[in-house]
Amino acid sequence: MFEIAVVGAGRIGRIHAKNVAAHPRLRLKAVVDPVGDNAATLAAETGAVVSTFEAVLNDPAVRGIVVASPTDQHLDQTLKAMAAGKAVLCEKPIDQDLATARAAAGVLGGERPLLLGFNRRFDRHFGALKRQLDAGRVGPLESLLIISHDPAPPPISYVKVSGGLFKDMAIHDFDMARYLLGEEVTEVFAAASCLVDPAIAEAGDIDTAKTTLKTASGRICVISNSRRSGYGYDQRIEAYGAKGLLKADNVLESTVAHWGAEGPVLDAFQNFFLDRYAEAYRSEVEHFAAVMAGEAKPLVGFDDAVKALELAEAAAQSVKTGQVVKL
């Protein structure tokens, strides 16, 4: 059994801590958070103790660290944890600055035990689409459509420190696009606006974007992002080839539908990422355990984190200049 420490007792940290605590091959030993009440509450709920980052780094019993702290601490804490010989599961993005992330390549790149928290790679619906795509179900991939619309925008206090829509929200979609396209993106063009909440624009961010990615062979991916859907948490992927379409649709609260004179009425979409990706987060922790046991290599690692950040910065540059950015 591997002993784990979770750094960060916020929303994401709580998800990881509870999944670690419930895993048969992992034991949550410690919770680290500068907000003492948050750490104490989560530790009490999971049977862990409250500790400090320095203490878990120096504890030889702690074999792995989950970095779920604010984004501006991700890279520094990951570097320190790996220097201490710990396996690391780090939430996305690895950093908010591409140059800073690239500078860490000599330490974090290659075969080191680092798993990046792009949890959608572990979603069983997207995974099934990927397997059928790779098996040639629709022939060679020609184009992708990725839709990611939140039901409502986050608090402005979060927007101000998030790094922006492309690095905070769309970065999941950039990673998924690379995963499904099967080749690197060479061109990025993005158009964006602030249509949902003027306060988001005042914070220097956008809330609505369409991004087009193109590979050297000509494959095209369109990503649609919005901080407000008006109809629920919209998460869809469509993959087109000569033999047809592969589609991963939204997951509903239930399969129950009412059929009446007005037509069929389906149940609502699962509410936001906490529900929609709950299973994916559990699978991610399962994969982390397998990585620690030497049974698997990280499905998504440092190089993937840098590539996704590269696409996020290219999209932001395209919005600013109105031009295609070539990579």
Side-chain angles (χ1 to χ4, degrees), residues 141-142 177-178 181-188 212-221 311 324-327:
L141 176 67
E142 295 173 354
R178 290 186 59 248
L181 284 168
E183 55 188 47
E184 296 299 341
V185 173
T186 57
E187 296 181 13
V188 179
T212 301
L213 311 176
K214 189 175 181 180
T215 70
S217 71
R219 290 176 176 172
I220 295 172
C221 175
L311 295 179
V324 172
V325 175
K326 295 185 180 294
L327 302 175

Side-chain angles (χ1 to χ4, degrees), residues 150-199:
D150 287 352
I156 296 301
S157 58
Y158 175 82
V159 170
K160 290 179 178 179
V161 299
S162 69
L165 180 144
F166 289 124
K167 292 180 181 178
D168 172 57
M169 178 185 180
I171 199 162
H172 278 294
D173 307 305
F174 294 137
D175 177 69
M176 185 54 59
R178 290 186 59 248
Y179 186 51
L180 297 176
L181 284 168
E183 55 188 47
E184 296 299 341
V185 173
T186 57
E187 296 181 13
V188 179
F189 178 76
S193 299
C194 193
L195 303 174
V196 174
D197 186 350

Side-chain angles (χ1 to χ4, degrees), residues 17-230:
K18 291 186 176 183
N19 288 338
V20 167
H23 196 281
R25 294 205 290 177
L26 304 176
R27 175 178 175 265
L28 181 63
K29 183 174 184 180
V31 175
V32 176
D33 196 290
V35 181
D37 289 346
N38 289 353
T41 298
L42 183 55
E45 292 175 356
T46 55
V49 299
V50 176
S51 188
T52 65
F53 187 57
E54 292 72 21
V56 297
L57 288 181
N58 294 318
D59 185 348
V62 173
R63 299 283 301 279
I65 293 180
V66 177
V67 176
S69 51
T71 300
D72 60 1
Q73 300 173 35
H74 285 181
L75 183 58
D76 179 64
Q77 290 177 342
T78 296
L79 287 167
K80 289 177 178 177
M82 296 190 74
K86 315 296 186 184
V88 177
L89 166 55
C90 178
E91 265 302 323
K92 61 79 197 171
I94 189 66
D95 197 76
Q96 290 183 349
D97 180 70
L98 179 59
T100 302
R102 281 175 171 163
V107 179
L108 300 182
E111 299 298 319
R112 303 295 296 277
L114 172 61
L115 175 64
L116 263 294
F118 288 104
N119 66 297
R120 295 178 194 179
R121 294 257 196 143
F122 300 92
D123 177 74
R124 64 185 177 92
H125 307 284
F126 298 163
L129 185 148
K130 167 70 171 173
R131 288 190 295 274
Q132 292 192 39
L133 185 62
D134 289 348
R137 186 76 180 272
V138 294
L141 176 67
E142 295 173 354
S143 65
L144 283 173
L145 172 62
I146 300 177
I147 297 173
S148 181
H149 297 175
D150 287 352
I156 296 301
S157 58
Y158 175 82
V159 170
K160 290 179 178 179
V161 299
S162 69
L165 180 144
F166 289 124
K167 292 180 181 178
D168 172 57
M169 178 185 180
I171 199 162
H172 278 294
D173 307 305
F174 294 137
D175 177 69
M176 185 54 59
R178 290 186 59 248
Y179 186 51
L180 297 176
L181 284 168
E183 55 188 47
E184 296 299 341
V185 173
T186 57
E187 296 181 13
V188 179
F189 178 76
S193 299
C194 193
L195 303 174
V196 174
D197 186 350
I200 294 177
E202 292 171 8
D205 200 5
I206 55 172
D207 55 36
T208 307
K210 296 288 189 290
T211 306
T212 301
L213 311 176
K214 189 175 181 180
T215 70
S217 71
R219 290 176 176 172
I220 295 172
C221 175
V222 175
I223 299 172
S224 177
N225 296 112
S226 175
R227 289 291 195 184
R228 180 206 60 208
S229 67

